[in-house]
């Protein structure tokens, strides 16, 4: 028994030595020793971030608060498709137009078919891309089942239609928009033909433009108890306010959300009383999630449309005359440029530009202006530029000065490099 143990020891030593060699090879790459575990053994950045950002799937699970998708039976779809193909193939005039490249397609019919099939799901994807559901409803979402047709008529008789993220300037959306939708929609993909009264609520909100509170919105339009899709007969809870994105804040999202009411509701608690020609921004503070939670048993989101708007010059007068406030302007505070420590011999850098980085910018600009004015005649103006600046050679000057002369001839100027 002892002899067997002695015979196995060399094998164990050989295995240990091979393990050490393999371990050393793993930590060597191209003759360099690696710090830490080698690739394939160490965790990736995605794996480490996933471990640190663990989210409970029950908490992060998205909830559909809209109407369900009732898909028609497969047999009915096939019958409809076969009937359509049979009609198209037996139409000789249609084939003739297709061969002559004169066939015209009805865009409105294409849109109708799109809305019956994949359209609502693609609208939902667009809304998720723009962060509409996340910033309005939190972890909830809905698939828009009702097509909203919204148009703005400006003073120049131009019509701007709201789609799903298109850009509309504040000057193009001054007046109250015209809204229409199919109020007889039965949420199965086609009109139901029902005649009983239905009630709707339309809200236009801006989740990006609140000036004083974070995670709050400004309600730009609120119409409730809309009978049978007639927006003009609805109850005006909050009057219409045009887009007011401040200067320097980029694009703001303006979202139309259409809710279907189960019954007529009393929403007077959200009513904002404003005299004609005045706007109370503080009273228009709104939060879509709180509104939905309060009335979620009586309303269901059914339609969605949104556009983007950014600042234009017409808002200066609007802020002064209507909002009675100073026109806000936001600017980005750029950090001071980083300057590395000076070197005795900076390599591959024009020495004049390198030294000017460490001088007072006002003094550099003053010297540049003085040199420019020295070549400018007081009555005839500056010297005319060369017609072909690159065709005139520059000789007998240092390399850095040659570069500066060439740039000055092209109209770039040395001052632009500082």
């Amino acid at each position: 028994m002892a002899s067997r143990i002695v015979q196995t020891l060399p094998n164990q030593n050989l295995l240990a030595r091979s393990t050490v060699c393999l371990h050393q090879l793993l930590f060597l790459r191209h003759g360099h020793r690696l710090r830490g575990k080698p690739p394939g053994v160490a965790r990736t950045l995605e794996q480490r971030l996933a471990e640190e950002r663990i989210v409970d799937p029950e908490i992060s699970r998205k909830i559909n608060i809209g109407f369900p998708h009732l898909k028609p039976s497969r047999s009915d779809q096939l019958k409809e498709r076969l009937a359509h193909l049979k009609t198209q193939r037996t139409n000789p005039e249609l084939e003739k137009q297709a061969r002559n490249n004169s066939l015209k397609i009805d865009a409105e019919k294409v849109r109708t078919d799109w809305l019956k099939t994949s359209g609502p799901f693609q609208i939902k994807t667009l809304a998720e891309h723009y962060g509409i559901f996340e910033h309005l409803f939190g972890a909830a979402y809905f698939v828009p089942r009702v097509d909203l047709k919204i148009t703005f008529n400006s003073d120049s008789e131009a019509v701007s239609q709201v789609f799903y993220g298109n850009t509309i300037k504040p000057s193009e959306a001054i007046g109250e928009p015209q809204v229409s939708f199919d109020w007889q929609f039965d949420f199965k993909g086609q009109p139901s033909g029902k005649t009983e009264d239905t009630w709707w609520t339309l809200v236009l909100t801006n989740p990006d433009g609140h000036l004083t509170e974070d995670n709050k919105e400004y309600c730009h339009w609120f119409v409730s108890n809309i009978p049978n899709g007639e927006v003009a007969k609805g109850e005006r809870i909050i009057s219409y306010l045009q887009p007011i994105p401040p200067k320097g804040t980029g694009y703001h999202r303006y979202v139309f959300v259409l809710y279907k009411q189960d019954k007529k509701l009393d929403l007077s608690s959200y009513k904002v009383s404003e005299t004609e020609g005045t706007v109370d921004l503080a009273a228009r503070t709104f939060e879509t999630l709180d509104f939905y939670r309060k009335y979620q048993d009586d309303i269901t989101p059914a339609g969605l449309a949104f556009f983007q708007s950014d600042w234009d010059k017409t808002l200066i007068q609007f802020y002064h005359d209507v909002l009675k406030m100073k026109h806000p302007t936001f600017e980005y505070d750029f950090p001071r440029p980083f300057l590395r420590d000076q070197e005795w011999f900076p390599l591959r850098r024009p020495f004049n530009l390198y030294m000017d980085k460490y001088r007072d910018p006002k003094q550099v600009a003053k010297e540049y202006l003085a040199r420019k004015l020295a070549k400018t005649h007081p009555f005839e103006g500056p010297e005319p530029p060369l017609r072909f600046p690159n065709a005139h050679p520059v000789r007998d000057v240092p390399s850095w000065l040659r570069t500066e002369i060439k740039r000055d001839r092209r109209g770039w100027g040395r001052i632009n490099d500082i």
Side-chain angles (χ1 to χ4, degrees):
M1 188 68 179
S3 61
R4 292 184 179 178
I5 295 177
V6 172
Q7 291 178 0
T8 58
L9 287 176
N11 296 334
Q12 293 178 355
N13 294 335
L14 180 61
L15 179 61
R17 287 196 299 269
S18 62
T19 304
V20 172
C21 294
L22 180 62
H23 187 266
Q24 292 178 351
L25 289 175
L26 287 174
F27 282 82
L28 290 175
R29 172 181 285 186
H30 304 298
H32 300 281
R33 184 171 296 277
L34 298 177
R35 292 184 178 181
K37 297 181 180 180
V41 178
R43 293 175 300 170
T44 62
L45 179 60
E46 290 78 5
Q47 293 173 344
R48 296 173 63 184
L49 291 177
E51 293 179 1
E52 294 181 1
R53 302 173 181 177
I54 298 177
V55 180
D56 190 348
E58 290 297 326
I59 297 178
S60 62
R61 182 170 56 89
K62 299 296 183 180
I63 302 173
N64 186 3
I65 59 176
F67 288 96
H69 175 57
L70 303 178
K71 189 176 181 180
S73 63
R74 182 66 176 171
S75 59
D76 294 341
Q77 289 182 343
L78 292 175
K79 289 179 182 179
E80 183 180 358
R81 187 178 302 174
L82 291 174
H84 176 72
L85 291 175
K86 186 177 180 181
T87 304
Q88 298 290 77
R89 290 173 178 173
T90 57
N91 188 350
E93 187 64 25
L94 186 66
E95 182 180 358
K96 182 179 179 181
Q97 293 177 359
R99 292 180 180 276
N100 296 333
N101 294 329
S102 60
L103 179 63
K104 296 182 179 180
I105 300 176
D106 188 359
E108 188 63 28
K109 187 176 180 181
V110 172
R111 178 178 175 80
T112 302
D113 294 339
W114 175 68
L115 291 172
K116 288 182 179 180
T117 54
S118 61
F121 299 97
Q122 294 179 2
I123 296 173
K124 169 184 168 291
T125 303
L126 284 172
E128 290 176 341
H129 172 74
Y130 283 94
I132 301 298
F133 298 132
E134 178 184 357
H135 296 153
L136 292 186
F137 296 97
Y141 73 94
F142 67 92
V143 179
R145 302 297 179 186
V146 179
D147 180 31
L148 279 173
K149 296 181 180 179
I150 305 172
T151 55
F152 289 98
N153 296 325
S154 60
D155 297 336
S156 60
E157 297 183 357
V159 178
S160 300
Q161 187 171 352
V162 179
F163 294 104
Y164 313 103
N166 58 313
T167 303
I168 298 178
K169 286 289 187 178
S171 57
E172 301 173 356
I174 296 177
E176 188 176 287
Q178 297 180 359
V179 182
S180 62
F181 56 90
D182 184 12
W183 60 275
Q184 294 180 323
F185 202 82
D186 67 345
F187 309 104
K188 296 181 181 178
Q190 57 186 359
S192 62
K194 298 179 180 179
T195 58
E196 61 265 19
D197 293 338
T198 58
W199 303 98
W200 306 79
T201 294
L202 181 64
V203 179
L204 170 60
T205 181
N206 173 19
D208 302 321
H210 208 286
L211 298 175
T212 57
E213 300 183 45
D214 295 334
N215 302 323
K216 296 290 184 179
E217 311 160 22
Y218 279 138
C219 184
H220 285 251
W221 200 27
F222 195 148
V223 185
S224 67
N225 296 323
I226 301 174
N228 300 331
E230 300 183 28
V231 180
K233 295 182 180 180
E235 180 183 356
R236 260 53 177 182
I237 303 298
I238 300 177
S239 60
Y240 176 76
L241 173 65
Q242 71 169 80
I244 53 170
K247 185 177 181 180
T249 57
Y251 288 94
H252 287 213
R253 298 164 296 174
Y254 293 85
V255 187
F256 291 88
V257 182
L258 180 68
Y259 301 90
K260 188 178 186 301
Q261 304 174 198
D262 294 340
K263 59 183 179 180
K264 194 172 182 179
L265 300 175
D266 181 14
L267 301 176
S268 57
S269 60
Y270 289 91
K271 193 172 183 61
V272 176
S273 299
E274 297 173 338
T275 58
E276 187 177 356
T278 61
V279 175
D280 187 0
L281 285 180
R284 289 175 175 264
T285 300
F286 188 75
E287 197 164 358
T288 301
L289 185 57
D290 290 347
F291 168 71
Y292 175 74
R293 283 174 175 171
K294 187 176 181 180
Y295 296 97
Q296 60 181 340
D297 295 334
D298 300 318
I299 61 174
T300 305
L304 179 69
F306 56 95
F307 67 96
Q308 300 181 88
S309 185
D310 61 339
W311 179 86
D312 63 7
K313 295 182 178 180
T314 60
L315 291 178
I316 299 178
Q317 184 177 359
F318 184 83
Y319 270 97
H320 292 167
D321 298 345
V322 180
L323 299 181
K324 306 298 181 182
M325 60 181 295
K326 185 179 180 180
H327 175 242
T329 302
F330 295 86
E331 296 181 356
Y332 183 76
D333 187 12
F334 290 94
R336 297 185 62 181
F338 170 75
L339 296 179
R340 59 187 296 176
D341 296 337
Q342 287 188 267
E343 304 171 2
W344 282 103
F345 302 101
L347 300 177
R348 299 181 182 179
R349 301 179 193 174
F351 189 73
N352 58 327
L353 299 182
Y354 172 78
M355 293 299 299
D356 287 346
K357 289 183 179 180
Y358 298 91
R359 297 172 58 197
D360 186 4
K362 294 183 179 179
Q363 183 65 24
V364 176
K366 182 179 179 180
E367 294 178 1
Y368 180 82
L369 182 61
R371 290 198 302 269
K372 187 175 181 180
L373 293 177
K375 300 179 181 180
T376 303
H377 194 276
F379 302 106
E380 298 178 1
E383 298 178 356
L386 298 175
R387 185 176 180 183
F388 304 103
N390 293 335
H392 301 269
V394 181
R395 299 188 177 91
D396 301 330
V397 295
S399 59
W400 63 268
L401 184 56
R402 183 186 301 112
T403 303
E404 183 178 357
I405 293 174
K406 289 182 178 180
R407 292 175 65 84
D408 188 63
R409 286 179 178 179
R410 299 188 185 107
W412 296 351
R414 172 185 156 209
I415 196 68
N416 294 327
D417 287 340
I418 303 172

